[in-house]
Amino acid sequence: MQADTYIPRRLDDAWKIGFWNVDVAAPVLFFFFVGYLSGSKLSFAACMASGIFLSRWIARLKADRHPAFAVHWLYWHLPANPVTAMRATPPSHIRRMVG
């Protein structure tokens, strides 16, 4: 009964695309798609450059912060809709809470 048992050490890791987190890789993939749809090599290069720039900016913004910093930032700065609204927390436009 001496079997090597694999014990996972990181159950709550962020989703990844290759080596990159989803929130860092998403701008590059989105701008790659937009550049592909544009049909011009120059606009494709411009879209890819802006996607890489945006993903590097997001990576630097997230450095040394909570792993879910991007989700928290989106919650506080984007308007709520029925899909993203949470029932257990107050709306994001209410900044002061008493109690």
Side-chain angles (χ1 to χ4, degrees), residues 67-82:
F69 172 75
V71 176
H72 296 189
W73 188 90
L74 290 173
Y75 172 75
W76 285 107
H77 291 91
L78 292 181
N81 60 34

Side-chain angles (χ1 to χ4, degrees), residues 49-73:
S50 60
I52 291 170
F53 172 77
L54 185 61
S55 70
R56 295 298 304 153
W57 179 73
I58 291 172
R60 286 186 187 131
L61 188 66
K62 283 181 45 177
D64 298 329
R65 296 204 173 138
H66 189 271
F69 172 75
V71 176
H72 296 189
W73 188 90

Side-chain angles (χ1 to χ4, degrees), residues 4 7 15 17 32 34 42 53 73 76 85 88-89 95:
D4 290 335
I7 299 173
W15 290 11
I17 297 177
F32 178 82
V34 169
L42 181 63
F53 172 77
W73 188 90
W76 285 107
T89 59
R95 301 293 172 137

